[in-house]
Amino acid sequence: MSTFPADVRFYSGEDFSEDGRILQWLVSKPYNATAAGGTCNGKDLISDVDTPTDLMALASTDPNDWTEFMGNGFFKTPRCSDRSYQVGRVAVDFGFEVNGGCCTACALVGQGGYGKALIYWASSTAGSVDFRFAADDAGVFWLNGERIMTDQKCDRATNTILNRDKSKGTVTMQPGWNTIVAKARRHNGPELDDNGFAL
């Protein structure tokens, strides 16, 4: 395992990438989801209703529950020096985060995690915003506590997946601060794998 590569070619330090992805995230500690099912059959990786763990993540303002994602400000994750695979160079990679740097398919069996971002809507009236969301292996995206999209398909959170019609939608941003929470969990396969999301 190597450390996170400080490659300035892929670092902007901005809040958003040129294609609109959020580049500043808080991330939770990983949780173990093995008891909740977890095969790649497109139906049981993520609950259709908010779980107690989901509700805690949605409500938490405790700084001890969150840390800044180590890839904040990178519009594309630098390739690891050991050429290991990452969940997607445009994704928030929980395996990457937990291991403190590059690693090959390093998310644990059943591992899940949450990301949180605060977005300020400067208008005095609500407005519509288009979005794209994908998770590896599955995930949920909430806006201001409302579940917006559930992704049950085992896919990697890459630009290719983000461009699918089923990954797209429209949300209404409220004046002032809006809270976005995203969740991703990996399947319960026997091997180490990838885990993360892109939004």
Side-chain angles (χ1 to χ4, degrees), residues 45-196:
L45 272 169
I46 295 290
S47 172
D48 290 329
V49 297
D50 295 347
T51 67
T53 308
D54 294 337
L55 296 174
M56 284 191 294
L58 291 170
S60 173
T61 58
D62 186 341
N64 293 320
D65 291 341
W66 305 94
T67 186
E68 290 188 15
F69 175 53
M70 65 183 302
N72 278 349
F74 282 86
F75 58 87
K76 184 182 289 185
T77 307
R79 291 198 182 278
C80 298
S81 58
D82 59 5
R83 296 186 175 274
S84 62
Y85 179 76
Q86 296 133 251
V87 65
R89 297 187 68 195
V90 298
V92 174
D93 189 330
F94 288 123
F96 212 71
E97 177 73 22
V98 169
N99 286 274
C102 296
C103 52
T104 303
C106 51
L108 301 176
V109 169
Q111 176 179 296
Y114 295 87
K116 179 179 282 192
L118 297 175
I119 306 297
Y120 189 78
W121 186 254
S123 174
S124 60
T125 58
S128 296
V129 174
D130 295 332
F131 74 88
R132 298 179 296 163
F133 173 71
D136 181 1
D137 290 302
V140 181
F141 154 45
W142 295 267
L143 174 63
N144 297 326
E146 178 186 355
R147 184 182 286 228
I148 302 297
M149 178 176 282
T150 303
D151 177 7
Q152 289 281 21
K153 186 171 176 58
C154 282
D155 276 324
R156 293 191 169 99
T158 66
N159 267 333
T160 301
I161 302 305
L162 284 173
N163 285 325
R164 297 180 311 192
D165 287 341
K166 66 175 290 187
S167 298
K168 301 175 182 179
T170 303
V171 293
T172 300
M173 302 293 280
Q174 299 300 321
W177 290 103
N178 293 261
T179 302
I180 290 174
V181 174
K183 168 187 180 179
R185 71 156 290 191
R186 68 149 298 202
H187 63 77
N188 291 349
E191 74 286 349
L192 294 177
D193 204 344
D194 312 295
N195 178 219

